[in-house]
Amino acid sequence: MSVALSRLLSVGFFSDQTVFASERSLETLVDSVTAAPAAAAVAEVTPASLVVFGRTQLRAEDVDTDLAIRLAAERGATGLLLQRPPHPLPQATRSLAERSGVALVLVDHAEPNRLVPAMDHYVRAPESTDSGLVGLVAHRLRAAPSDPGEMVRLLATALHHPVGLIDPTGRVVAGDLRPALLPLTAPTAARLAAARPLPWVCAAGPDALLLLQPVHSTPDSPANLWLAAEVPVSPAAHVRVVTQALGVAAWAFVAHFATAAVDLERRGRRLEALLTRLLEEAGAPRLPVLEQATAAGWRLGGWHSGVHVRFRAGQTSSAVVRDRLREHLAARGVCAEPIPYADGWSLWTTSPVLPGPQAQADLIGAVRRALLAAEHDCPELRLCAGIGSAAEGTAGLRDSLREARRASVLAGARDVAGAVEHIGANDVKRLLSNRYMTGVQQDLAHQLLGPLAADASGQLLHTLSSYLDNKSSATATAAVLGVHRNTVLQRLDRIRTLLTVDFTDPDERLALHLATRLVQTGMVHRAGEDVAS
């Protein structure tokens, strides 16, 4: 038998490899794998063979490598495998390999005594060792218990290798893998949190490999959990079988999580209870929480931007509002499930990398447009939202959602349609949202604005707040309030009379702005406390 060179290189004989070859030569068949004592010996190899050189037989950076490539092309050999040199290969050698149709493969450890027997056996009988172990894994997991930890133990027993479940931070949450076997470097973190995760292999020491298989329901969904197995580097054919077995096992886990999702709905376990548990354990979520979050379709790895939406007014059913909100968010590219939480709904978006300022601005705009659309559907409805700063992992999700809830209080104090606040690095907003300004500051704010209390309708305070929010523009304020500009000017004249303030003085304007925010934020907090009680 024979196999394509690309398939042979994908089995996992090496922890890493660099290939210089044309696409056509990668699909060339390999009939045998052989060792050669020197470059000149390539003249005697059989056609369709892959020739392996140890470092002592041929150094990749030597001129004899060019001779070996030419001889291989003359003999019809498929390629040459050499140990990676300490410095980049000369461009002339790389170009020669690509032009000649002879693949040049560079690996970290080119050991003919180890590689040639295993690779040649695989080439001659690629399917001979696959079915037995894979079938055993499928049989044992077919009737596996509902506990993922027990499923991992069954898989480890069948494979005779350490197996574990790993979360997006590289933490082992089940199984007998060695802790910290997968250092969380930036490339590793990116792979674990990828939107379309793929199986991959990495070195686990000088003589071991770590095989990783994502557990996700569709190729387009991220993975909260990864199956991982630590195996010896050789025999390479066994590495390939274990890789296949992990792929079969991953589908068993997907089936288990699908059942858990049905059970979650059947038992009426509310998503807000799950979110509460997840946020309580955000530093290191336990396996049951990760299991249910996966069943619910939540994405936990990557950089999260939390959003919290609150009611301000309206008699529409909260279930109807939630459905409308989901639809309008999705229509604007925010495909996230609003989860009932505390005094509203929480949701989050996730990116594999830290989102930049433009991405944050796009999210704010999308949420604001979704709120306005929902309010348009239900004219008596008033919503507001807060958005937290992007943060990484489950701990970051907790922090971002916490900040989003505080920002939603500020948004509620503004009393405009589709109000959205993002605290970010704004120190004044952080001060207000954390309610650090209490006691004396609150008293001063109420004293300063006390004369406006004579207006029982609250229009004067609302007009003053909107006027200051809109950069002291009467025209913009009138547009926000939905009244004529002359009405705004008349109210401002009355406010000046009652407060005896000068709007042209920047210090007085700043004091008024802070005072209105403190008073309105205090009203929202008290309203929220009344609802909670």
Side-chain angles (χ1 to χ4, degrees):
M1 293 189 64
S2 58
V3 297
L5 177 62
S6 59
R7 178 178 174 185
L8 178 62
L9 298 180
S10 68
V11 171
F13 291 99
F14 334 104
S15 59
D16 194 16
Q17 61 193 22
T18 302
V19 182
F20 299 105
S22 64
E23 291 187 10
R24 182 178 179 181
S25 58
L26 283 174
E27 298 310 314
T28 305
L29 294 179
V30 180
D31 290 343
S32 63
V33 180
T34 185
V42 178
E44 305 297 329
V45 301
T46 59
S49 60
L50 176 66
V51 186
V52 179
F53 291 94
R55 182 71 174 164
T56 58
Q57 285 80 46
L58 179 61
R59 296 158 58 91
E61 67 272 29
D62 290 350
V63 294
D64 281 352
T65 300
D66 293 356
L67 171 62
I69 294 173
R70 292 190 179 93
L71 291 174
E74 293 174 3
R75 292 293 296 172
T78 301
L80 307 176
L81 188 147
L82 301 91
Q83 185 156 319
R84 194 192 314 275
H87 304 292
L89 206 61
Q91 180 61 46
T93 302
R94 287 182 280 171
S95 299
L96 177 61
E98 293 168 357
R99 291 197 312 270
S100 65
V102 176
L104 186 59
V105 183
L106 305 180
V107 300
D108 289 333
H109 302 286
E111 304 167 2
N113 292 339
R114 176 177 64 85
L115 290 175
V116 170
M119 296 177 72
D120 190 62
H121 176 72
Y122 175 75
V123 166
R124 297 179 187 277
E127 308 300 334
S128 62
T129 59
D130 287 0
S131 59
L133 186 58
V134 175
L136 175 63
V137 168
H139 174 75
R140 290 194 176 181
L141 292 181
R142 182 174 56 187
S146 59
D147 176 19
E150 183 60 26
M151 293 171 70
V152 170
R153 285 189 287 273
L154 285 175
L155 183 58
T157 301
L159 296 179
H160 298 289
H161 295 300
V163 177
L165 278 174
I166 292 177
D167 71 4
T169 69
R171 182 172 59 102
V172 179
V173 297
D176 56 355
L177 282 179
R178 290 180 286 140
L181 187 61
L182 187 66
L184 198 63
T185 61
T188 298
R191 280 191 163 185
L192 291 174
R196 291 175 57 90
L198 298 171
W200 53 294
V201 181
C202 65
D207 300 312
L209 300 174
L210 186 65
L211 314 180
L212 294 110
Q213 173 72 39
V215 179
H216 55 164
S217 56
T218 68
D220 295 326
S221 63
N224 291 330
L225 293 168
W226 291 72
L227 271 175
E230 183 182 3
V231 300
V233 172
S234 61
H238 183 67
V239 173
R240 180 173 182 271
V241 175
V242 174
T243 301
Q244 291 182 337
L246 289 180
V248 171
W251 281 108
F253 278 83
V254 169
H256 165 71
F257 292 140
T259 302
V262 173
D263 290 342
L264 194 66
E265 187 69 24
R266 183 183 299 129
R267 295 196 306 267
R269 300 188 62 175
R270 303 173 64 190
L271 290 179
E272 58 264 43
L274 175 58
L275 181 59
T276 299
R277 290 182 61 195
L278 176 65
L279 300 184
E280 287 174 350
E281 301 177 14
R286 293 176 296 164
L287 180 58
V289 174
L290 291 173
E291 174 192 353
Q292 292 182 37
T294 299
W298 295 353
R299 184 174 179 182
L300 305 182
W303 290 80
H304 308 291
S305 296
V307 179
H308 189 74
V309 182
R310 299 173 57 249
F311 259 117
R312 288 188 296 168
Q315 301 300 317
T316 308
S317 163
S318 62
V320 173
V321 175
R322 181 187 176 197
D323 289 342
R324 295 285 177 84
L325 184 61
R326 182 197 302 110
E327 293 172 3
H328 289 304
L329 286 169
R332 289 152 183 84
V334 182
C335 299
E337 177 75 14
I339 302 163
Y341 186 69
D343 54 352
W345 301 277
S346 288
L347 58 112
W348 62 92
T349 63
T350 306
S351 170
V353 297
L354 176 64
Q358 186 57 51
Q360 194 75 45
D362 291 344
L363 176 60
I364 293 172
V367 172
R368 179 176 290 118
R369 291 191 295 274
L371 296 190
L372 290 172
E375 292 180 358
H376 181 268
D377 289 346
C378 307
E380 83 287 356
L381 179 65
R382 282 295 177 269
L383 299 172
C384 62
I387 297 178
S389 301
E392 190 174 17
T394 49
L397 174 61
R398 173 199 59 203
D399 296 341
S400 187
L401 285 177
R402 184 179 295 163
E403 188 175 277
R405 286 191 63 200
R406 294 199 297 263
S408 71
V409 174
L410 290 181
R414 289 176 53 200
D415 196 23
V416 296
V420 179
E421 282 284 0
H422 169 55
I423 295 175
N426 189 309
D427 291 334
V428 175
K429 288 185 178 181
R430 286 187 179 277
L431 203 62
L432 291 172
S433 70
N434 286 319
R435 288 185 286 177
Y436 293 147
M437 284 191 173
T438 57
V440 174
Q441 292 90 345
Q442 288 281 359
D443 291 342
L444 288 173
H446 283 280
Q447 288 176 20
L448 179 60
L449 300 177
L452 300 186
D455 173 30
S457 68
Q459 288 182 342
L460 294 182
L461 179 61
H462 188 195
T463 299
L464 175 61
S465 175
S466 296
Y467 179 70
L468 295 171
D469 282 345
N470 287 280
K471 302 179 181 179
S472 301
S473 168
T475 302
T477 302
V480 170
L481 297 180
V483 299
H484 195 278
R485 183 173 182 273
N486 288 341
T487 302
V488 173
L489 294 176
Q490 292 170 4
R491 291 178 184 176
L492 291 175
D493 286 341
R494 188 178 176 195
I495 291 169
R496 288 190 186 94
T497 301
L498 290 172
L499 299 184
T500 62
V501 294
D502 181 5
F503 285 132
T504 63
D505 186 315
D507 290 336
E508 291 194 30
R509 196 165 58 244
L510 174 62
L512 280 174
H513 207 173
L514 287 173
T516 57
R517 285 299 184 91
L518 281 169
V519 170
Q520 290 178 317
T521 302
M523 291 176 179
V524 175
H525 277 304
R526 287 193 297 275
E529 289 165 1
D530 291 342
V531 170
S533 61

